[in-house]
Amino acid sequence: MDFRISGGSPSSSSTSSTDPHNSSTSHRRRHQNGGADNNSSDPMHSWWESISKARSRIQLLSSILPSDDPTAVASLVDSDRPARSLLLSHPAYSLLSTSLSAPSAGSGEDPLCHWLYDTFLSDDADLRLVVISFIPLLSSIYLSRVHSSSSTSPTPSLSGFEAVLLALYSAETKSRAGKPILVSIPDLSQPSVYHTPRAPIQNRPSSIRPAVGVLSPALEPQIAVKSTKRASIVGVALDSYFKQISQMPSWSKVDFCRFAADWAGQDCPCVWELDETHHGKLENLFSDNSRILDGLTEELRNMEIEEKPGGDSSKARIPLPWELLQPVLRIVGHCLLGPLNAEDVKNGASVAAKHLYARAQHDLVPRAILATRSLVQLDRRAREAARAADASGPASNATTPSKAKKPEVLLVSK
């Protein structure tokens, strides 16, 4: 079975539209079925068709995944929203992660890659979100295997992973319609409702146009993952993940932060250069409050990156060009500053930001240093503000009246 990057052949549709016999036959069949084509506009029919497609995809996935508990995925079929249940099922995510991490995964004959590819091409939004939630894991495995293969050993077949990445890239290319993503840079010399310009209005030229920056260049269609386009293709796939990040489960975000820290591959002391509360400095800052000290020490211990087997913690270090680093920083920034993110997501993003900052310093990339340093400083200030709020919380609550104010009642005369 071959992967199909483009749509189906138009020959069948053109034949049916030009053949009068086929046209009359189809019209007679619709008449005999009582206008079955009207079911496409029926909300109940569309809902049931979506449920049926999701259940069939889940049943197929259950037959592919090896598991000691066969009901871990198959039981999701009985849900009212099976695709959404699959997206929010941590056991299903763990099973898929284990299968994708197998040494034999990623080839062109891998049934799980075929399942991901076909599922992403479906028209069900929740099923597509399931595939998007595995972009961090799939990208990490793919990049680590590509860059870890030596020149003497043959590169393993990763055409299955590449087909899924190309499907995401093709969808994004189609949605952008050959246009770049631009951002308007405001001219601070122009008046606005937020500031008063320093220069007098009569001294400024009237033909000043706002500057426009290219956030992402126009995408070119790709039919294969070339070495020169690999970072761009993976970066576009990660950009698709960022667009749906508000609907991604927390464990997918935690995995991405861990992978981003591994990609940076920097464990030198400069990782903690901007962290004023790391290790021994905690004792001087919170010597009067042992409870807060114990909690923060445990939090920082959980934030540490464990060393990989074999003692080399930089094995997953990969090249980070700007077209790949830019979407990585967007995702890390959301995980770090999103108000609805869980604490383990924010802690993982904090570690990833510090490792990426150290990597940018070693690579001497100015814009990467500026972006990663900003993330580290924002994280530090947010944690300082949270600690200050916790410290001042009981004192402020003591002056707050305990009795709630009664709501006002408006009297309306009859």
Side-chain angles (χ1 to χ4, degrees), residues 29-184:
R29 288 177 179 175
R30 288 195 299 267
H31 179 72
Q32 292 175 354
N33 293 334
D37 289 348
N38 295 332
N39 291 333
S40 58
S41 60
D42 186 5
M44 183 61 66
H45 176 77
S46 301
W47 172 81
W48 179 250
E49 185 178 4
S50 176
I51 294 294
S52 301
K53 290 181 180 179
R55 289 178 176 177
S56 62
R57 299 306 300 173
I58 293 176
Q59 290 173 351
L60 179 59
L61 178 63
S62 178
S63 63
I64 294 174
L65 292 177
S67 174
D68 297 336
D69 184 11
T71 62
V73 177
S75 60
L76 301 175
V77 175
D78 299 330
S79 173
D80 294 336
R81 301 183 65 184
R84 177 65 60 169
S85 300
L86 178 61
L87 174 66
L88 302 179
S89 174
H90 188 266
Y93 181 87
S94 301
L95 289 175
L96 272 163
S97 301
T98 303
S99 298
L100 288 175
S101 304
S104 59
S107 64
E109 302 299 328
D110 186 1
L112 187 54
C113 290
H114 282 274
W115 186 90
L116 292 172
Y117 180 86
D118 294 335
T119 302
F120 181 76
L121 295 183
S122 65
D123 55 356
D124 189 279
D126 288 339
L127 286 176
R128 293 167 67 92
L129 289 177
V130 173
V131 180
I132 292 176
S133 67
F134 286 95
I135 292 179
L137 177 64
L138 191 146
S139 301
S140 177
I141 298 173
Y142 173 72
L143 292 175
S144 62
R145 291 184 182 180
V146 166
H147 294 290
S148 64
S149 59
S150 60
S151 58
T152 57
S153 60
T155 304
S157 175
L158 300 173
S159 58
F161 288 159
E162 292 177 346
V164 179
L165 293 173
L166 281 173
L168 293 161
Y169 180 87
S170 299
E172 186 66 20
T173 303
K174 183 179 179 180
S175 65
R176 295 188 186 182
K179 299 180 181 180
I181 299 179
L182 305 178
V183 57
S184 297

